[in-house]
Amino acid sequence: MTSTSDRLRTAGLRVTGPRVAVLEVLDSAGGSQHLTAADVLAGVRGRLGAVSVQATYDCLEALEGASLVRRIQPAGSPARFESRVGDNHHHAVCRACGRTTDVECVHGASPCLTPSSADGFRIDEAEVIFWGLCPDCT
Ligand SMILES: [Zn+2]
Ligand SMILES: [Zn+2]
């Protein structure tokens, strides 16, 4: 298993305490948890003590830019972050509480997943969010 510092280096980022902490917080949250920036901040502070909001946001931005972190931005809820990247999985979001869970890549015949015309764009990703109610809110 590659260390957190190695992942940063491989992505061309300088290894800093806050960046390592942000990645570790997201890693330890696991696949079914998608953390808000506030959750990440709380986790980072739990590890490092005093870290500013801005520093944490800057880390998230740098990590996202280096494709080590993925941001999910469901309409009407705060952005959520995860460190599960590169597999183009999808998300289901609860309309009531905002809980966000991973949905494996959708295969099959849903016609909307294959654009009939993309106006000349070369498509490499489809961002799919399924909306509904989580088990707790049903
Ligand atoms: Zn819910
Ligand atoms: Zn996810």
Side-chain angles (χ1 to χ4, degrees):
M1 182 129 187
T2 355
S3 79
T4 311
S5 325
D6 283 345
R7 275 155 70 202
L8 287 167
R9 274 188 218 104
T10 307
L13 290 181
R14 211 156 44 83
V15 178
T16 67
R19 283 176 182 169
V20 170
V22 166
L23 262 189
E24 284 178 357
V25 166
L26 288 170
D27 283 348
S28 62
S32 58
Q33 292 284 322
H34 296 73
L35 303 181
T36 62
D39 296 333
V40 173
L41 179 65
V44 169
R45 283 186 173 157
R47 278 158 200 263
L48 298 182
V51 176
S52 73
V53 176
Q54 192 56 47
T56 304
Y57 277 59
D58 289 349
C59 285
L60 282 169
E61 207 149 282
L63 293 168
E64 191 192 353
S67 302
L68 290 175
V69 163
R70 183 168 160 193
R71 175 201 300 258
I72 311 123
Q73 180 80 70
S77 28
R80 287 172 183 264
F81 298 88
E82 67 181 339
S83 60
R84 181 180 167 188
V85 292
D87 64 354
N88 194 32
H89 69 275
H90 307 299
H91 294 100
V93 179
C94 175
R95 284 188 195 283
C97 70
R99 180 164 144 196
T100 303
T101 191
D102 285 339
V103 175
E104 296 310 318
C105 190
V106 177
H107 296 283
S110 303
C112 299
L113 294 177
T114 313
S116 49
S117 158
D119 219 4
F121 279 55
R122 215 182 66 195
I123 303 297
D124 57 28
E125 184 179 345
E127 192 171 273
V128 179
I129 296 183
F130 300 93
W131 292 90
L133 288 174
C134 78
D136 292 344
C137 295
T138 319

